[in-house]
């Protein structure tokens, strides 16, 4: 594996890795752009092709190409490795079966899931599952691309096949592929039987779980999901994201649909930005995963009332997380899968007519509630919390006015009702960004100081400069982890290809100023102490020192 890492680093430069995600422009030796990990208007995200590293002065994050992919794709190191290996055309050399102690448990589980997926896919041809998939409108290309499979109507088919290949019972259990029989310890059977199987993949495209659609009409559980495992955390996985992320970036929105078949049919019809949850409510983690690719979310809904309340809750969460949310309404009683299969043009039309979520609910409610008083009550309960969740004051104002128009109220009344709602609480996600964003400073002087720290480490001068840095940034301490990298970038930024005399002058000036300022402060403190003690001689000396230092400080003209 270390060979693969080296090979990838050799073939891919950092620019190739980052450019698909961040628009980079050249700035001296490095490249810079808007940071994809925090909101900003001026670029503080720097990339050094020479060192193969990146660093953001805004939020303090940094690292190499692998760590960039880990963060932006929401995957671990192995996931990043897989993505970059594909990009670089490098085949990853995993240690094989004979070398089990080298492979971690997680790798084994991933290998097991990949193998199970292939095994199920191999059973599909001519099965009931294949007929069912065709009946639902999935074509051969889609079935093959998503590697749909069939779990045969047998108790131990998968178990026997995979244990024969060297996987163990405990491994099959921890992957959620088999179950222990109730009241019969030591007896195991396949979890999925007589079902059409949809592999659930993480954002890097690795199979982590399955959803099984029942094929027998009398099966009580229509859909059966893998349990939560070491690989599968349903609140972190969006079904289809591995195949949807490019389209989400280019179309600039994520389309969230109800189920797996909806996702497959949407992709088949050209809406390759569709994803779905798998058997869980929308979570902040899902939203953060979406935000990596686009800040716009479209909810595609069928029109039943139960769905609408759940939609309002999801939308509120998404707005709080800073996404822009729209909703498209499908004709009564139709889910996306049905509509796409029956009338793709109508589906496209509905998507085009999607409305911002506040307007969507205002229209919905106005259509349902003929009684004006009840309409106002319903809007107060559903629409106001949505408006309240919008972080941008301008957008909030805009939607307050649309609510006022629809409800026939003054926007002052809406504003007043909003004030009565509980205050918007900061989401954990955004506050952690705030925390990291507070430490570094973007102004030139603190960057000079960081550069000095890098260029002259562990000198008395550097120590004084450190003090100055902390004073300027009001940080409790130096960001030791990010310091070396950020200092390198500062130095590069300042000195560019060839360190100019001007830049060196500026550096020394900043140095000197920091030193003098510190001495001046010290002199002022001495003066106060001397005055308090009433020693005439010391007061005089301290005054002289202050005058001298303040004159030198004034010469800097800052
Ligand atoms: Zn940043």
């Amino acid at each position: 594996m270390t060979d693969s890492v080296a090979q990838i680093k050799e073939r891919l430069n950092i620019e190739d890795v980052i450019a698909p995600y961040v628009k980079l422009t050249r700035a001296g030796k490095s490249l810079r752009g808007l940071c994809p990990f925090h909101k900003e208007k001026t670029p503080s995200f720097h990339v050094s092709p020479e060192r193969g590293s990146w660093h953001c002065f805004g939020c303090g994050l940094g690292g190499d190409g692998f760590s960039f992919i880990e963060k932006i794709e929401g995957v671990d190191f192995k996931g990043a490795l897989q993505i970059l290996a594909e990009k670089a055309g490098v085949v990853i050399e995993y240690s094989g079966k004979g070398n089990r102690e080298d492979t971690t448990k997680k790798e084994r589980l991933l290998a097991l899931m990949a193998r199970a997926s292939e095994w199920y896919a191999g059973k599909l041809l001519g099965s009931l599952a294949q007929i069912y998939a065709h009946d639902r409108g999935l074509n051969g290309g889609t079935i093959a691309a998503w590697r749909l499979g069939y779990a045969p109507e047998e108790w131990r088919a998968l178990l026997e096949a995979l244990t024969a290949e060297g996987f163990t019972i405990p491994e099959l259990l921890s992957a959620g592929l088999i179950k222990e029989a109730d009241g019969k310890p030591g007896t195991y059977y396949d979890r999925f039987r007589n079902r059409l199987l949809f592999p659930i993949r993480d954002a890097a495209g690795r199979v982590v779980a399955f959803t099984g659609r029942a094929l027998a009409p009398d099966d009580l559980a229509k859909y059966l999901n893998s349990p939560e495992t070491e690989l599968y955390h349903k609140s972190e996985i969006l079904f289809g994201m591995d195949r949807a992320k490019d389209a989400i970036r280019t179309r600039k929105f994520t389309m969230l649909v109800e189920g797996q078949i909806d996702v497959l049919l949407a992709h088949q019809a050209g809406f390759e930005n569709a994803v779905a949850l798998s058997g869980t409510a929308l979570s902040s983690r899902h939203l953060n995963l979406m935000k990596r690719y686009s800040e716009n979310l479209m909810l595609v809904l069928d029109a039943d009332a139960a769905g609408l309340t759940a939609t309002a809750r999801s939308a509120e969460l998404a707005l709080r997380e800073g996404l822009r949310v729209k909703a498209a309404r499908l004709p009564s009683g139709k889910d996306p899968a049905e509509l796409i299969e029956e009338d793709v043009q109508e589906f496209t039309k509905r998507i085009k007519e999607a409305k911002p979520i506040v307007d969507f609910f205002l229209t919905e409610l106005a259509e349902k509630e003929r009684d004006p008083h009840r309409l106002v009550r319903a809007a107060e309960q559903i629409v106001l919390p949505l408006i309240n969740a919008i972080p941008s004051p301008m957008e909030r104002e805009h939607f307050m006015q649309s609510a006022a128009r629809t409800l026939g109220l003054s926007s002052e009344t809406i504003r007043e009702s909003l004030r009565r709602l509980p205050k918007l609480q900061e989401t954990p996600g955004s506050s952690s960004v705030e925390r990291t964003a507070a430490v570094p400073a973007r102004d030139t002087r603190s960057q000079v100081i960081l550069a000095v720290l890098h260029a002259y480490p562990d000198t008395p001068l550097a120590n004084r400069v450190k003090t100055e840095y902390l004073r300027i940034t009001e940080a409790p301490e130096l960001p030791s982890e990010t310091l070396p990298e950020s200092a390198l970038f500062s130095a590069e930024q300042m000195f560019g290809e060839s360190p100019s005399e001007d830049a060196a002058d500026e550096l020394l000036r900043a140095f000197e100023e920091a030193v003098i300022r510190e001495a001046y402060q010290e002199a002022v403190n001495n003066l106060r102490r001397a005055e308090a003690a009433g020693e005439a001689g010391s007061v005089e000396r301290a005054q002289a020192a202050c005058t001298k230092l303040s004159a030198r400080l004034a010469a800097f003209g800052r």
Side-chain angles (χ1 to χ4, degrees):
M1 186 122 68
T2 41
D3 284 355
S4 318
V5 172
Q7 266 185 320
I8 291 167
K9 286 200 167 174
E10 216 174 81
R11 288 198 203 172
L12 285 183
N13 63 44
I14 186 99
E15 207 179 328
D16 297 332
V17 173
I18 293 178
Y21 305 90
V22 181
K23 192 173 175 293
L24 295 169
T25 50
R26 189 152 283 283
K29 261 187 176 175
S30 59
L31 301 155
R32 96 187 141 188
L34 294 173
C35 177
F37 304 112
H38 83 278
K39 249 190 195 158
E40 62 174 6
K41 292 207 176 80
T42 51
S44 42
F45 180 87
H46 293 256
V47 176
S48 167
E50 204 171 79
R51 282 194 319 283
S53 63
W54 58 279
H55 178 83
C56 173
F57 288 101
C59 61
L61 291 174
D64 62 6
F66 288 94
S67 65
F68 180 83
I69 293 295
E70 281 175 40
K71 290 212 169 62
I72 200 144
E73 295 286 6
V75 296
D76 60 9
F77 180 75
K78 295 279 158 52
L81 185 65
Q82 181 163 340
I83 291 170
L84 290 180
E86 213 164 280
K87 205 175 159 76
V90 169
V91 178
I92 306 169
E93 302 287 341
Y94 283 110
S95 19
K97 274 184 211 159
N99 203 359
R100 200 166 296 166
E101 56 276 16
D102 283 347
T103 37
T104 65
K105 190 181 172 205
K106 201 172 168 190
E107 269 174 62
R108 283 285 296 175
L109 288 183
L110 284 168
L112 168 56
M113 292 305 274
R115 181 64 197 110
S117 175
E118 288 312 304
W119 188 85
Y120 287 131
K123 300 280 173 202
L124 187 73
L125 193 66
S127 73
L128 203 56
Q130 190 186 25
I131 296 165
Y132 175 82
H134 281 302
D135 281 352
R136 291 300 304 265
L138 299 170
N139 66 32
T142 303
I143 292 169
W146 292 78
R147 301 302 282 157
L148 300 194
Y150 173 57
E153 196 175 6
E154 286 169 51
W155 287 97
R156 297 164 57 85
L158 178 86
L159 189 153
E160 275 160 14
L162 295 193
T163 46
E165 289 181 20
F167 292 103
T168 65
I169 296 279
E171 283 172 341
L172 284 153
L173 270 176
S174 27
L177 291 169
I178 59 170
K179 287 170 83 170
E180 190 165 31
D182 283 339
K184 282 190 202 163
T187 305
Y188 302 97
Y189 60 92
D190 292 353
R191 177 180 296 272
F192 299 104
R193 297 178 312 281
N194 198 24
R195 284 172 186 268
L196 168 64
L197 286 198
F198 300 85
I200 299 176
R201 297 165 194 274
D202 64 13
R206 301 171 303 179
V207 178
V208 294
F210 293 96
T211 294
R213 172 64 167 85
L215 295 170
D218 58 346
D219 206 320
L220 289 177
K222 232 162 109 182
Y223 285 93
L224 182 67
N225 285 316
S226 292
E228 295 259 319
T229 66
E230 206 174 310
L231 300 178
Y232 178 51
H233 308 285
K234 58 187 175 190
S235 64
E236 292 172 9
I237 297 271
L238 288 163
F239 177 79
M241 190 49 107
D242 58 310
R243 304 180 64 88
K245 56 195 178 193
D246 291 341
I248 291 172
R249 264 190 218 108
T250 49
R251 286 186 171 238
K252 299 191 168 63
F253 70 97
T254 304
M255 183 191 283
L256 185 66
V257 295
E258 196 84 22
Q260 271 101 351
I261 291 185
D262 296 327
V263 172
L264 267 62
L265 283 173
H267 279 244
Q268 190 172 292
F271 296 95
E272 289 171 335
N273 53 342
V275 299
L277 307 170
S278 39
T280 180
L282 187 65
S283 75
S284 303
R285 292 197 167 177
H286 291 134
L287 293 162
N288 281 314
L289 180 58
M290 289 176 192
K291 262 201 295 196
R292 296 201 175 101
Y293 310 108
S294 165
E295 300 209 321
N296 301 312
L297 168 62
M298 185 182 300
L299 305 167
V300 180
L301 310 161
D302 56 28
D304 69 284
L308 285 184
T309 327
T311 303
R313 275 197 298 272
S314 301
E316 194 184 327
L317 182 64
L319 290 170
R320 273 181 207 280
E321 290 285 348
L323 282 106
R324 281 190 208 92
V325 185
K326 280 187 166 186
R329 180 148 83 90
L330 302 184
S332 222
K334 291 257 186 262
D335 61 29
E338 286 169 319
L339 189 58
I340 292 168
E341 209 199 327
E342 285 166 21
D343 189 349
V344 121
Q345 262 121 39
E346 178 65 18
F347 181 78
T348 310
K349 183 170 154 259
R350 298 279 175 156
I351 296 299
K352 282 198 181 129
E353 288 169 357
K355 292 190 181 113
I357 194 73
V358 170
D359 296 338
F360 171 84
F361 272 108
L362 285 168
T363 315
E364 285 291 314
L365 295 174
E367 270 172 24
K368 281 205 175 81
E369 282 300 348
R370 295 289 169 205
D371 176 64
H373 180 69
R374 280 173 42 194
L375 172 61
V376 168
R377 289 284 302 273
E380 200 167 19
Q381 278 163 14
I382 294 179
V383 178
L384 290 192
L386 291 174
I387 296 177
N388 198 38
I390 299 171
S392 150
M394 276 169 76
E395 284 176 44
R396 213 159 48 225
E397 178 65 32
H398 168 86
F399 287 116
M400 268 188 253
Q401 284 169 14
S402 18
R405 268 196 308 277
T406 310
L407 301 171
L409 301 168
S410 73
S411 45
E412 213 17 75
T413 309
I414 305 281
R415 217 183 309 278
E416 179 55 33
S417 312
L418 272 182
R419 269 196 285 272
R420 286 160 191 246
L421 287 179
K423 276 273 165 293
L424 181 64
Q425 289 199 339
E426 241 188 87
T427 53
S430 66
S431 66
S432 77
V433 169
E434 233 78 77
R435 254 199 310 284
T436 41
V439 180
R442 262 166 268 170
D443 65 294
T444 323
R445 286 181 57 223
S446 62
Q447 293 198 13
V448 169
I449 285 161
L450 286 171
V452 168
L453 287 173
H454 172 72
Y456 306 88
D458 301 323
T459 58
L461 221 46
N463 291 335
R464 290 202 185 100
V465 166
K466 253 184 225 174
T467 315
E468 176 74 348
Y469 174 87
L470 297 179
R471 196 189 60 76
I472 292 172
T473 59
E474 290 175 2
E477 55 186 16
L478 282 174
S480 60
E481 264 174 58
T482 60
L483 180 62
E485 196 65 13
S486 52
L488 277 168
F489 275 102
S490 306
E492 245 164 41
Q493 277 308 106
M494 237 164 291
F495 304 128
E497 304 281 343
S498 53
S500 72
E501 266 179 51
D502 282 353
D505 268 356
E506 171 67 13
L507 179 76
L508 289 171
R509 263 171 74 90
F511 246 1
E512 213 180 327
E513 186 184 0
V515 174
I516 295 170
R517 188 179 297 280
E518 201 187 341
Y520 176 71
Q521 199 52 52
E522 182 71 40
V524 170
N525 290 342
N526 282 344
L527 179 59
R528 291 210 187 102
R529 272 196 297 273
E531 280 169 348
E535 296 166 28
S538 320
V539 171
E540 210 169 290
R541 274 197 303 280
Q543 265 170 345
C546 282
T547 313
K548 204 168 120 195
L549 287 167
S550 87
R552 284 182 64 188
L553 209 50
F556 285 98
R558 298 191 196 192

